[in-house]
Amino acid sequence: MSFPPDDIERLVTKIAAILRSRKENLAISEAACGGLLSAYIVTVPGASNFYIGGKLVYSLRQRLKLSGCTDEEISSYVGPSEQVALRLARTAKYELGSTYVLSETGFAGPSKDLHLSDSDSKSTATASDAEVGTVYLGLCGPTGEVSCMRNTGSKVRASNMVEFARLGLQFLLDQLERIESTES
């Protein structure tokens, strides 16, 4: 097995070419992928000329706090959504100052436990109706914001993480190509 897989290498090579040709850059806000998106992006030689970095805050409570959620919003949080993905992208764009931010959040599995309750918390949060294998993707850039939801149909955590990253990169490429076609 090679890293990255051939299909991922094709995606990141195309993404890099578009961003470099337009002298734009990218940051990533990751959750359920656990760093795979960034790992895939930096396999491109010279990635530092278009990839400024990203953030991976795996603890949900900390990720929500760093995205500007109040304690009340955290205690009523019901799980990943397109709105959450966009909020993560917006926050990272503000913090990192990149042209684009790709964000992802979802349920990789094996459960949908939000892990928000602790000894000091009165959280009553329960997970949304989304199934394990659901990922929400967000992109924030100079022409606006766009988001989507995808489902892998799998309950296998590692497989979902890999597929979430592939889906995120494909979503990013599709949006960059769409923007490029409207500018030509």
Side-chain angles (χ1 to χ4, degrees), residues 163-182:
E163 187 63 8
F164 289 179
R166 188 191 67 71
L167 289 166
L169 292 169
Q170 185 63 62
F171 172 72
L172 173 60
L173 178 60
D174 291 347
Q175 297 309 311
L176 292 174
E177 289 176 337
R178 183 188 58 75
I179 292 165
E180 194 167 54
S181 71
T182 61

Side-chain angles (χ1 to χ4, degrees), residues 8-183:
I8 298 295
E9 185 173 9
R10 284 188 292 278
L11 287 170
V12 296
T13 300
K14 289 177 183 177
I15 290 166
I18 291 171
L19 291 171
R20 285 174 172 153
S21 73
R22 295 174 7 192
K23 296 179 176 42
E24 295 175 330
N25 57 36
L26 172 69
I28 294 175
S29 177
E30 296 188 64
C33 286
L36 278 175
L37 280 165
S38 293
Y40 287 153
I41 289 288
V42 299
T43 63
V44 175
S48 62
N49 65 13
F50 71 90
Y51 181 62
I52 64 169
K55 63 185 212 176
L56 167 63
V57 182
Y58 201 67
S59 159
L60 177 59
R61 178 177 296 284
Q62 295 307 74
R63 187 167 60 248
L64 293 173
K65 278 190 174 284
L66 290 172
S67 293
C69 291
T70 64
D71 287 337
E72 184 178 324
E73 289 172 312
I74 293 171
S75 68
S76 62
Y77 182 75
V78 295
S81 68
E82 288 184 54
Q83 292 75 26
V84 171
L86 288 173
R87 186 172 193 164
L88 294 170
R90 263 184 241 116
T91 303
K93 187 167 183 357
Y94 173 78
E95 293 168 344
L96 301 173
S98 61
T99 311
Y100 295 97
V101 173
L102 172 65
S103 68
E104 62 80 19
T105 183
F107 293 113
S111 77
K112 297 186 333 179
D113 187 345
L114 297 176
H115 301 286
L116 280 175
S117 59
D118 58 48
S119 58
D120 299 328
S121 173
K122 305 282 189 280
S123 174
T124 59
T126 56
S128 69
D129 291 335
E131 300 174 13
V132 168
T134 301
V135 65
Y136 299 91
L137 304 166
L139 183 67
C140 185
T143 60
E145 300 175 344
V146 62
S147 62
C148 70
M149 183 271 297
R150 301 284 187 265
N151 189 288
T152 66
S154 175
K155 306 278 186 222
V156 179
R157 181 180 187 79
S159 298
N160 280 332
M161 291 171 68
V162 169
E163 187 63 8
F164 289 179
R166 188 191 67 71
L167 289 166
L169 292 169
Q170 185 63 62
F171 172 72
L172 173 60
L173 178 60
D174 291 347
Q175 297 309 311
L176 292 174
E177 289 176 337
R178 183 188 58 75
I179 292 165
E180 194 167 54
S181 71
T182 61
E183 292 176 352

